[in-house]
Amino acid sequence: MELVPGYRLRPALDGDAEAVAAIVNAESEAVLGTPIVTPTVFLELWSRPSVDRSRDVAVVETGAGELCGYLCLLAEPPHTAVFAIGVVALPFRGRGLGAAIAAENERRARRFVELAPVGERVVIH
């Protein structure tokens, strides 16, 4: 994934759950007027047996280590439907991070094609 210089992508750690929840809740509060998740939601999501955290979950951070984006892929067997999540923190919008996250989600989702039954269509949501 090509990120804008000064940003990097890395696997999400348990300690990132609070910052990821804050990013998602800031957006939901701006759009819906209320927070929608807790850090526990992410810890449970990232711990599902079907989630390979090193491949399916990542955060984007600034050179100073501030979390500013998040991506996650979810696909249960038979792997024909992949749910892709991508979020950019409100103060970091308009820098190309969202496009980079979307491209990275698509690149990572390709692995599920090989896990799906032969000949089956795989859709990314």
Side-chain angles (χ1 to χ4, degrees):
M1 170 170 103
E2 286 294 320
L3 279 175
V4 178
Y7 298 90
R8 74 181 189 107
L9 185 72
R10 65 166 175 77
L13 307 171
D14 284 353
D16 297 324
E18 191 168 325
V20 170
I23 289 169
V24 171
N25 282 331
E27 180 168 346
S28 71
E29 288 173 6
V31 175
L32 304 172
T34 188
I36 59 171
V37 294
T38 66
T40 303
V41 168
F42 292 103
L43 293 172
E44 290 172 355
L45 180 74
W46 301 343
S47 299
R48 288 182 181 181
S50 61
V51 173
D52 178 345
R53 195 182 301 194
S54 67
R55 293 172 147 188
D56 301 335
V57 183
V59 294
V60 178
E61 64 182 9
T62 67
E66 181 180 4
L67 262 59
C68 57
Y70 164 70
L71 67 87
C72 181
L73 296 168
L74 302 170
E76 301 286 338
H79 306 295
T80 54
V82 182
F83 183 68
I85 301 167
V87 181
V88 176
L90 296 174
F92 293 90
R93 299 243 170 120
R95 301 177 192 198
L97 296 174
I101 288 171
E104 182 66 10
N105 264 338
E106 185 176 320
R107 185 192 70 74
R108 290 176 181 224
R110 288 186 186 113
R111 81 181 185 88
F112 294 107
V113 172
E114 294 179 16
L115 298 174
V118 175
E120 287 290 321
R121 180 177 173 210
V122 177
V123 178
I124 304 171
H125 299 278

